[in-house]
Amino acid sequence: MLINLIVMLVQWTVVSFCYYQICFQVKYLKGDIFINNISGGITEAFSYAVGGVLLSFLGLKKGLISGYMLGTIGMFSLLIYQGDSQIWLSIFICSSKFGITSSFGICYFANNEIFPAQAVVFCLGTCAAIGHIASIFSPEVAELK
């Protein structure tokens, strides 16, 4: 159980930090900030449901990897893209938010599967607390030049 807790602490820290990092970075992206936020918010609503489906069909490890890969591809595409098309910017933002948010959802759902019933609340609370503590540094990293 200790190994599972350590692994989930790392996952929560990464997912929480990256999730809030994307939220803070949106203001620096090209294109209309309102369209970027609206498209990202709509994407988030669907990605939590998809995270549960990924967890049930692919399992914890493959589900997290697929979410991380989609988020990474979206962010690298956003970094590489030099154009000004709002459609492509929204697609890249949505794919990165979709990937990291589905991984966030998987972290929430997975606690019930990998920990015994007596320890679920403690492990979920510990993971969420450590993840949110790591997220405190997200705005500082976003403002680095």
Side-chain angles (χ1 to χ4, degrees):
M1 189 169 95
L2 181 62
I3 293 172
N4 285 346
L5 181 60
I6 292 169
V7 169
M8 286 307 291
L9 282 171
V10 170
Q11 294 302 317
W12 271 84
T13 302
V14 168
V15 168
S16 183
F17 182 84
C18 291
Y19 174 81
Y20 290 108
Q21 184 67 29
I22 291 172
C23 294
F24 286 113
Q25 288 291 339
V26 169
K27 67 181 176 181
Y28 294 118
L29 299 176
K30 293 181 258 180
D32 187 9
I33 190 169
F34 298 109
I35 293 174
N36 291 343
N37 279 316
I38 289 170
S39 60
I42 291 170
T43 303
E44 274 186 62
F46 293 111
S47 63
Y48 282 115
V50 171
V53 172
L54 286 175
L55 180 62
S56 62
F57 284 117
L58 298 178
L60 177 61
K61 186 175 179 181
K62 289 180 183 177
L64 283 172
I65 289 172
S66 62
Y68 287 144
M69 283 179 38
L70 183 59
T72 303
I73 289 169
M75 204 40 75
F76 277 130
S77 300
L78 190 60
L79 291 173
I80 294 170
Y81 183 66
Q82 297 296 322
D84 290 331
S85 172
Q86 183 64 49
I87 292 172
W88 284 109
L89 290 170
S90 294
I91 289 171
F92 298 147
I93 292 167
C94 288
S95 64
S96 64
K97 276 194 114 169
F98 189 88
I100 201 68
T101 306
S102 64
S103 295
F104 210 165
I106 289 172
C107 284
Y108 271 107
F109 300 139
N111 276 302
N112 293 334
E113 291 185 9
I114 64 172
F115 296 115
Q118 302 90 327
V120 169
V121 174
F122 171 76
C123 294
L124 180 64
T126 304
C127 290
I130 299 297
H132 286 95
I133 288 170
S135 299
I136 291 171
F137 301 104
S138 189
E140 296 299 322
V141 173
E143 298 300 323
L144 288 177
K145 297 292 178 192

